[in-house]
Amino acid sequence: MLRVGSRTQFQIARCIQQNASRYFSQAVASTTSSSSLVETSIDGNVATLTMNRLPVNSLSLEMCEAISSGIKEVEANPKVQGLVLASLSKSTFSAGLDLNELYNPDLDRLTAFWKSFQQVFLDLYGSRLAVIGAIEGNAPAAGCMLALSCDYRIMSSGSGKKVPLIGLNESQFGIVAPPFLGHLMLRTVGQREGEIALSLGKLYTPSDALRVNMVDEVVDIEKVLGRSYECAHQWAKIPPHARYASKMLARKQYLQELHATRDEDVEAFKGFVMNEQVQKNLGAYLQSLKVKKK
Amino acid sequence: MLRVGSRTQFQIARCIQQNASRYFSQAVASTTSSSSLVETSIDGNVATLTMNRLPVNSLSLEMCEAISSGIKEVEANPKVQGLVLASLSKSTFSAGLDLNELYNPDLDRLTAFWKSFQQVFLDLYGSRLAVIGAIEGNAPAAGCMLALSCDYRIMSSGSGKKVPLIGLNESQFGIVAPPFLGHLMLRTVGQREGEIALSLGKLYTPSDALRVNMVDEVVDIEKVLGRSYECAHQWAKIPPHARYASKMLARKQYLQELHATRDEDVEAFKGFVMNEQVQKNLGAYLQSLKVKKK
Amino acid sequence: MLRVGSRTQFQIARCIQQNASRYFSQAVASTTSSSSLVETSIDGNVATLTMNRLPVNSLSLEMCEAISSGIKEVEANPKVQGLVLASLSKSTFSAGLDLNELYNPDLDRLTAFWKSFQQVFLDLYGSRLAVIGAIEGNAPAAGCMLALSCDYRIMSSGSGKKVPLIGLNESQFGIVAPPFLGHLMLRTVGQREGEIALSLGKLYTPSDALRVNMVDEVVDIEKVLGRSYECAHQWAKIPPHARYASKMLARKQYLQELHATRDEDVEAFKGFVMNEQVQKNLGAYLQSLKVKKK
């Protein structure tokens, strides 16, 4: 199953992350794991939300709820102005939706699942915090949504021959991003590049993502976290009320659009998922993953 | 008159096009000329619509209807997923509206003409096919509309000293693009470049058009068709339903806008054309063209 | 106080400007100072509006009214098609709002002030003239609004070590640009760059402003006026009705949006200004300026 993580990878990742903290010569003041799926910590006015649903931070109902809870938790601390969104896995920021949620689903859970996914977008894209995406690994599909909902994105150039990819690759698998996510891409990279990106389900290398403004900086993988904290501290210096009001100038309309069409979007998603052919494809795909793991 | 074409040019162009087909080592399976004005052919899942109203593919009522019919015809074949939009003339993709439609017009025909032009936009911009524009020659004004309505545009860098140009140059002649076309330009190149492009009626060289994302690739004129078929085949591989849904995510709003304002747009166009000064200018211009031809 | 200007700087600036006129080997035909705050002149089909509320062209109620009057005055001349918007100061295009209008204000005057500021935007952004911004010096905050409302912007690369800056830096001071201005920035540089620009209150060097399309050309300070007149003459050659209709294609929607929300925008502004903390900050800031001047 997708949830089985590598303990070794987990420990190495944690070690790297702790070194990153030391890089700032600051002890992390408090660590309050809001759940086992995400880990939050606060250091002065900058918080960290580390996704650790290994191996690939796939978004299940519980993972979506944990991310939203984590954001609310750090937002509740009035000192916090910046947030670094990171992944414990160095190879994957988030691989997107947990497909197990979609296969042969309970309809009530499916509804709750999609609402929790919408909520992650609303919470991240509309957060009062300056959210810096520390994208060390792959960010396809809904993983790309997490990245695009940040205020600023720093992506790893990769390590060795492994170059991480980012993009909305849904169409390659015969599915389509929900409108709120597709439009987020169109706004981010512009109508032209966005049409091509969505139609072809294009995954971008870090340098291509930088060229089309899908990410804002590309640095060595060892520097992603460090640079993200630098940015978070820089953004946290701006008077918070004004920074947030500026963000809302740019985003309020789109947050309201999802609020206004939320139920409609749930129904469209359920209609798509329950399509017979889609169920068949999902079953075959999940079966093939199980075989690989053996 | 504008319809008088050069037979020699026609034959050379056809020869080049046939070589392009051979470049893929594929025999064109079927050729169904939907009319003498456009030629359609289907090869596997990729169709071709070649405009051949020589010399410059100017858009008359009949030409607009032929383009729309050609699109509908190839869309009716469920195997077809990609479409290459090309011109039999190597020097001109399309020179835009046939001005004879505008001078001293019958009002009923003028209405039908403009509706047929709107329909070409709706059919191209909203086609279920992935439409690749093979732009070997000039694409000014409504010719640029044909290009901008494609999913992807490949433009010739020119041959010899002849560099083709593309853009909405209406304002240079004292006229203005209809809103649906002006807004298409603004979306394609962005608000800033678009304002300048529309206000100055700017025609872009291939390299400038590439820089502002008005076209997506610039290649040698001999390679435009070949590269267009490569792209059409690439786009045709994406699951069609998902590709089309992605396209609609980006375009549905604008298609609906024209549907909602179609009659209004017809009236605005007729009001403009029937303006006394415009008629006078058109008459003088068409007379000057006749003199040149002699 | 902010209104005290340097007479010497005034004379040098005027000398440079007169040389710029001679550069075109044309005598300025008529000079009609519409007020002491702005100076207008007309030469053929190109007018000049020079802001001269020294030292920094800060926007008071009277300055806003003078700019609007100056625009209306030159627009009233049917020969005029182009307008160069310039500053008599070489170091500052405009420093933005006159903060004296905001501190301990009379509420009726505050209302009139903000309406006059909205009116400057409406008059510049919607002018029937092709407006070229000759930006020789700094253009922060509302000074950037003046620049972004032009049709085309030419910015100085600076002289000596002084590099002028442009941008909406409101958030750095704990305030936020009004929606009509924030959205103007988002349209000009695109959603991504715009979000960052607004959130961080970023001021751009000329080369950075050029990179993100905030300005259209960067030239030596001695060439800004000359190049601006060249552009104004180029734009003035386009048939005026078509040029203006093209501009409205791109801008009408946004002008209408402000018309529809004008009173709401006034109330939001007044609510912000009358906030106790804002008044306290303003008082302290203006006091510090007075101390500096002594």
Side-chain angles (χ1 to χ4, degrees):
Chain A
M1 290 294 295
L2 292 175
R3 300 195 189 191
V4 181
S6 148
R7 191 68 200 166
T8 315
Q9 190 188 10
F10 185 102
Q11 286 164 341
I12 292 171
R14 178 173 289 260
C15 172
I16 291 171
Q17 195 192 25
Q18 285 169 345
N19 285 331
S21 298
R22 253 179 278 144
Y23 170 77
F24 287 98
S25 310
Q26 293 170 337
V28 171
S30 66
T31 300
T32 23
S33 280
S34 65
S35 80
S36 60
L37 299 173
V38 307
E39 188 176 288
T40 60
S41 64
I42 294 174
D43 179 16
N45 59 0
V46 170
T48 307
L49 192 157
T50 306
M51 299 180 280
N52 57 9
R53 185 169 188 245
L54 297 179
V56 294
N57 287 321
S58 64
L59 300 177
S60 62
L61 169 58
E62 287 76 15
M63 183 61 171
C64 287
E65 288 177 343
I67 294 172
S68 281
S69 296
I71 296 167
K72 292 297 167 206
E73 184 190 315
V74 294
E75 279 185 344
N77 184 326
K79 280 187 194 162
V80 175
Q81 302 303 340
L83 171 64
V84 172
L85 179 64
S87 163
L88 204 52
S89 160
K90 300 288 135 177
S91 58
T92 306
F93 184 67
S94 164
L97 300 184
D98 185 338
L99 298 181
N100 293 292
E101 294 285 3
L102 276 53
Y103 183 57
N104 204 9
D106 172 80
L107 272 184
D108 285 347
R109 184 176 167 99
L110 190 66
T111 299
F113 167 62
W114 195 247
K115 283 192 173 170
S116 75
F117 178 65
Q118 294 171 332
Q119 193 61 44
V120 169
F121 168 75
L122 293 170
D123 290 339
L124 261 183
Y125 196 65
S127 173
R128 73 162 184 83
L129 306 176
V131 185
I132 311 296
I135 307 158
E136 294 170 303
N138 293 308
C144 181
M145 181 280 274
L146 296 176
L148 296 188
S149 298
C150 296
D151 288 276
Y152 198 79
R153 291 174 270 291
I154 294 162
M155 190 171 186
S156 162
S157 55
S159 73
K161 288 185 182 172
K162 279 192 193 165
V163 172
L165 298 173
I166 185 169
L168 297 179
N169 59 333
E170 279 85 346
S171 74
Q172 287 196 21
F173 302 101
I175 62 178
V176 60
F180 70 86
L181 178 49
H183 292 157
L184 174 59
M185 176 62 87
L186 290 163
R187 288 196 296 282
T188 305
V189 301
Q191 178 83 4
R192 261 324 281 141
E193 186 69 31
E195 284 188 352
I196 298 172
L198 292 173
S199 295
L200 296 181
K202 208 169 156 183
L203 287 173
Y204 292 72
T205 61
S207 58
D208 280 344
L210 186 64
R211 186 179 48 78
V212 301
N213 292 320
M214 201 180 292
V215 300
D216 301 299
E217 291 183 32
V218 173
V219 300
D220 280 355
I221 191 164
E222 296 82 18
K223 296 183 179 164
V224 170
L225 276 174
R227 181 69 193 121
S228 296
Y229 284 106
E230 274 178 10
C231 286
H233 282 286
Q234 183 199 356
W235 284 66
K237 278 181 195 155
I238 305 293
H241 174 75
R243 183 184 45 68
Y244 178 63
S246 300
K247 184 170 173 168
M248 285 304 105
L249 259 186
R251 299 187 171 185
K252 192 172 66 181
Q253 169 187 359
Y254 308 111
L255 293 163
Q256 285 174 342
E257 264 175 33
L258 178 54
H259 276 295
T261 59
R262 205 164 171 178
D263 290 340
E264 190 184 311
D265 187 56
V266 169
E267 291 313 308
F269 173 72
K270 281 159 66 181
F272 159 74
V273 167
M274 299 315 291
N275 175 288
E276 200 177 335
Q277 188 59 46
V278 170
Q279 281 299 313
K280 219 164 143 181
N281 293 348
L282 277 169
Y285 183 69
L286 290 170
Q287 187 60 35
S288 76
L289 289 181
K290 281 183 192 170
V291 171
K292 266 192 202 167
K293 299 270 171 192
K294 284 177 188 170
Chain B
M1 290 295 294
L2 292 175
R3 299 193 189 193
V4 181
S6 148
R7 193 66 201 169
T8 315
Q9 188 187 11
F10 185 102
Q11 286 164 341
I12 293 171
R14 178 172 290 260
C15 172
I16 292 171
Q17 195 192 24
Q18 285 169 345
N19 284 332
S21 298
R22 252 178 278 145
Y23 169 77
F24 286 98
S25 310
Q26 293 170 338
V28 170
S30 66
T31 300
T32 23
S33 279
S34 64
S35 78
S36 59
L37 299 173
V38 308
E39 188 176 288
T40 61
S41 63
I42 294 175
D43 179 17
N45 60 359
V46 170
T48 307
L49 192 158
T50 306
M51 298 180 281
N52 57 10
R53 185 168 187 247
L54 297 179
V56 294
N57 287 321
S58 64
L59 300 176
S60 62
L61 168 58
E62 287 75 17
M63 182 61 172
C64 287
E65 288 176 343
I67 294 171
S68 281
S69 296
I71 295 167
K72 293 296 166 206
E73 185 191 313
V74 294
E75 280 185 343
N77 183 327
K79 280 186 194 163
V80 175
Q81 302 304 340
L83 171 64
V84 171
L85 179 65
S87 162
L88 205 52
S89 160
K90 300 288 135 179
S91 58
T92 306
F93 184 67
S94 165
L97 301 184
D98 186 338
L99 298 181
N100 293 293
E101 293 286 2
L102 277 51
Y103 183 57
N104 205 8
D106 172 81
L107 272 184
D108 285 347
R109 184 177 168 97
L110 190 65
T111 300
F113 168 63
W114 195 247
K115 283 191 173 170
S116 75
F117 178 65
Q118 294 172 331
Q119 193 60 44
V120 170
F121 168 75
L122 293 169
D123 290 339
L124 262 183
Y125 195 66
S127 174
R128 72 163 184 83
L129 307 175
V131 185
I132 312 297
I135 307 157
E136 295 170 302
N138 293 308
C144 180
M145 182 281 272
L146 296 175
L148 296 188
S149 299
C150 295
D151 289 277
Y152 198 79
R153 292 173 272 290
I154 294 162
M155 190 173 185
S156 163
S157 55
S159 73
K161 288 184 183 172
K162 279 192 194 167
V163 172
L165 298 172
I166 184 170
L168 297 179
N169 58 335
E170 280 84 346
S171 74
Q172 286 197 21
F173 301 102
I175 62 178
V176 59
F180 70 85
L181 178 48
H183 292 156
L184 174 59
M185 176 61 87
L186 289 163
R187 286 196 298 280
T188 305
V189 301
Q191 177 85 3
R192 261 322 283 140
E193 186 68 29
E195 284 188 353
I196 297 173
L198 293 173
S199 295
L200 295 181
K202 209 169 156 182
L203 287 173
Y204 291 72
T205 60
S207 58
D208 280 345
L210 186 64
R211 185 178 49 77
V212 302
N213 293 320
M214 200 181 292
V215 300
D216 301 299
E217 290 184 32
V218 173
V219 300
D220 280 354
I221 191 164
E222 297 81 19
K223 295 183 180 165
V224 170
L225 277 174
R227 181 70 192 120
S228 296
Y229 285 105
E230 275 177 12
C231 286
H233 282 286
Q234 182 198 357
W235 284 65
K237 277 181 196 156
I238 304 293
H241 174 75
R243 184 183 44 69
Y244 178 63
S246 300
K247 184 169 174 169
M248 284 305 105
L249 259 187
R251 299 187 172 185
K252 192 173 65 180
Q253 168 186 2
Y254 309 111
L255 292 163
Q256 286 174 340
E257 264 174 32
L258 178 54
H259 275 296
T261 59
R262 205 165 171 177
D263 290 340
E264 190 185 311
D265 187 56
V266 169
E267 291 311 309
F269 173 71
K270 281 160 66 181
F272 160 73
V273 167
M274 299 315 290
N275 174 289
E276 201 178 333
Q277 187 60 46
V278 170
Q279 280 300 311
K280 218 164 144 182
N281 293 348
L282 276 170
Y285 183 68
L286 290 170
Q287 188 59 37
S288 75
L289 289 181
K290 281 184 193 170
V291 172
K292 265 192 202 166
K293 299 270 170 192
K294 283 178 187 171
Chain C
M1 289 295 295
L2 292 175
R3 300 194 188 191
V4 181
S6 148
R7 191 68 201 167
T8 314
Q9 189 187 10
F10 184 101
Q11 286 164 342
I12 293 171
R14 177 173 291 260
C15 172
I16 291 171
Q17 194 193 24
Q18 286 168 346
N19 285 331
S21 298
R22 252 178 279 145
Y23 169 77
F24 286 99
S25 310
Q26 292 170 337
V28 170
S30 65
T31 300
T32 22
S33 279
S34 65
S35 80
S36 60
L37 299 173
V38 307
E39 189 176 285
T40 61
S41 63
I42 294 173
D43 180 16
N45 60 359
V46 170
T48 307
L49 192 158
T50 307
M51 299 180 279
N52 56 9
R53 186 170 187 245
L54 298 179
V56 294
N57 288 321
S58 64
L59 300 175
S60 62
L61 168 58
E62 287 76 16
M63 182 61 172
C64 287
E65 288 177 343
I67 294 172
S68 281
S69 296
I71 295 168
K72 292 297 166 205
E73 184 191 314
V74 294
E75 279 185 343
N77 184 327
K79 281 186 194 163
V80 176
Q81 302 303 340
L83 172 63
V84 171
L85 179 64
S87 163
L88 204 52
S89 159
K90 300 288 134 177
S91 58
T92 307
F93 184 67
S94 165
L97 300 184
D98 186 339
L99 298 181
N100 293 292
E101 293 285 2
L102 276 53
Y103 182 56
N104 205 9
D106 172 81
L107 271 184
D108 285 348
R109 184 177 168 100
L110 189 66
T111 300
F113 168 63
W114 195 248
K115 283 193 173 169
S116 75
F117 178 65
Q118 295 172 332
Q119 193 60 45
V120 169
F121 168 75
L122 293 169
D123 290 338
L124 262 183
Y125 195 66
S127 174
R128 72 163 184 83
L129 307 175
V131 185
I132 312 296
I135 308 157
E136 295 170 301
N138 294 306
C144 181
M145 181 281 272
L146 295 176
L148 296 188
S149 299
C150 295
D151 289 277
Y152 197 79
R153 292 173 271 290
I154 294 162
M155 190 172 186
S156 163
S157 55
S159 73
K161 287 184 182 172
K162 280 192 193 166
V163 172
L165 298 173
I166 184 170
L168 297 179
N169 59 333
E170 280 84 347
S171 74
Q172 287 196 22
F173 302 101
I175 62 178
V176 59
F180 71 86
L181 178 48
H183 292 157
L184 174 59
M185 176 61 87
L186 290 163
R187 287 197 296 282
T188 305
V189 301
Q191 178 84 3
R192 262 320 283 141
E193 185 69 31
E195 284 188 352
I196 298 172
L198 293 174
S199 295
L200 295 181
K202 209 169 156 183
L203 287 173
Y204 292 72
T205 61
S207 57
D208 280 346
L210 186 65
R211 186 179 49 79
V212 301
N213 293 320
M214 201 181 292
V215 300
D216 301 299
E217 291 184 32
V218 173
V219 300
D220 279 354
I221 191 164
E222 297 81 19
K223 296 184 179 164
V224 171
L225 277 174
R227 181 70 192 120
S228 296
Y229 284 105
E230 275 178 10
C231 286
H233 282 285
Q234 182 198 357
W235 285 65
K237 277 181 197 157
I238 305 294
H241 175 75
R243 182 183 44 67
Y244 178 63
S246 300
K247 185 169 173 169
M248 284 306 104
L249 259 187
R251 299 187 172 186
K252 192 172 66 181
Q253 170 186 359
Y254 309 110
L255 292 163
Q256 286 174 340
E257 264 175 33
L258 178 55
H259 275 296
T261 59
R262 205 165 171 178
D263 290 340
E264 191 184 310
D265 187 55
V266 169
E267 291 312 310
F269 172 72
K270 282 159 65 180
F272 160 73
V273 167
M274 299 314 291
N275 175 288
E276 202 178 334
Q277 188 59 44
V278 170
Q279 280 299 312
K280 219 164 142 182
N281 292 348
L282 277 170
Y285 183 69
L286 289 170
Q287 186 61 35
S288 75
L289 289 181
K290 281 184 192 171
V291 172
K292 266 193 203 166
K293 297 272 171 188
K294 283 178 187 172

